[in-house]
Amino acid sequence: KTLNPQWREQFDFHLYEERGGIIDITVWDKDAGKKDDFIGRCQVDLSTLSKEQTHKLEMPLEEGEGCLVLLVTLTASAAVTISDLSVNSLEDQKEREEILKRYVWRKKPNKFLFKPCSWWVFLVYKFCSKFSLIGKSDPFCVVELNNDRLLTHTVYKNLNPEWNKIFTFNIKDIHSVLEVTVYDEDRDRSADFLGKVAIPLLSV
């Protein structure tokens, strides 16, 4: 019930310079019981913004009226990473052995101790669909751990996509739960939910 909303939401995106940096934002009027009405869209080209400072942007909406006010900060982050399975360093056997030495369960009388973990690796390999519609899905995967959120690329027109991505997360609490959600991308509206799994780190 307002034409001048203030959301005050913060979103963290992980930008990889070699892939460009265009953020596409759409604004909608939510209608209960029927299709939402499109209000307008704008694009933010992050390559034009300087790093390590906060930019206040007033972006006029294309295909509509009004503007969005954004605060955008580009800063370096090494806490979370995403890489291709084929080029990941964990394929090196010596590297894997060193990791196992550093982060292992070791038994002592009547209890187990866990060496403090600074990071954790999770592999997103493929998605096996139970749907029979041929070539209709454009699936992508969202991996979330606490406040960190990473996405795979979208595999278009495929019901059994293979992403082959490795995600590296900083672990602050071994009791955290990793959430992996698969969506079907839809250009003109919100992505469709395809499935979700929650993995307690202590169970791995």
Side-chain angles (χ1 to χ4, degrees):
K1 304 300 182 183
T2 178
L3 294 177
N4 296 285
Q6 294 186 25
W7 293 289
R8 300 184 183 276
E9 297 281 351
Q10 176 174 314
F11 300 91
D12 294 326
F13 297 96
H14 298 277
L15 173 66
Y16 302 91
E17 292 181 327
E18 68 275 10
R19 302 181 192 175
I22 301 293
I23 295 181
D24 188 40
I25 305 172
T26 56
V27 183
W28 302 80
D29 177 21
K30 189 173 185 65
D31 280 330
K34 55 182 180 177
K35 188 175 180 180
D36 297 339
D37 296 321
F38 178 77
I39 292 179
R41 68 160 30 94
C42 68
Q43 288 189 330
V44 181
D45 185 355
L46 299 180
S47 66
T48 64
L49 304 180
S50 55
K51 299 176 182 177
E52 304 303 337
Q53 73 177 79
T54 298
H55 304 268
K56 183 177 180 180
L57 307 177
E58 295 189 15
M59 307 294 298
L61 293 178
E62 303 171 8
E63 306 172 47
E65 298 181 359
C67 70
L68 285 178
V69 179
L70 312 169
L71 296 178
V72 182
T73 306
L74 300 181
T75 186
S77 172
V80 244
T81 64
I82 178 173
S83 61
D84 291 322
L85 176 61
S86 59
V87 297
N88 192 272
S89 62
L90 293 183
E91 290 187 336
D92 185 332
Q93 185 61 33
K94 290 183 178 180
E95 176 78 8
R96 298 171 78 97
E97 291 173 358
E98 285 300 316
I99 291 172
L100 289 175
K101 287 179 184 178
R102 289 201 302 268
Y103 309 116
V104 295
W105 289 98
R106 68 182 192 274
K107 190 173 182 181
K108 283 199 169 185
N110 302 320
K111 64 180 178 178
F112 283 89
L113 295 177
F114 187 72
K115 293 182 181 180
C117 184
S118 64
W119 56 271
W120 193 71
V121 173
F122 179 76
L123 167 66
V124 176
Y125 173 50
K126 67 182 296 185
F127 172 65
C128 299
S129 174
K130 64 181 180 180
F131 302 104
S132 59
L133 297 176
I134 298 176
K136 293 294 184 182
S137 288
D138 301 319
F140 67 95
C141 188
V142 178
V143 183
E144 297 174 274
L145 184 66
N146 299 325
N147 291 325
D148 294 322
R149 184 175 189 267
L150 291 176
L151 283 72
T152 67
H153 59 284
T154 300
V155 180
Y156 294 97
K157 306 299 181 185
N158 194 322
L159 291 177
N160 295 285
E162 293 190 13
W163 293 291
N164 294 315
K165 296 294 183 184
I166 289 182
F167 298 86
T168 305
F169 294 94
N170 241 1
I171 298 298
K172 300 181 179 70
D173 184 358
I174 195 61
H175 299 92
S176 299
V177 175
L178 182 80
E179 295 184 353
V180 185
T181 311
V182 182
Y183 294 96
D184 179 16
E185 181 182 302
D186 195 324
R187 173 65 180 169
D188 297 324
R189 36 183 194 151
S190 298
D192 296 323
F193 174 82
L194 294 180
K196 181 175 183 177
V197 62
I199 306 172
L201 296 190
L202 281 176
S203 71
V204 179

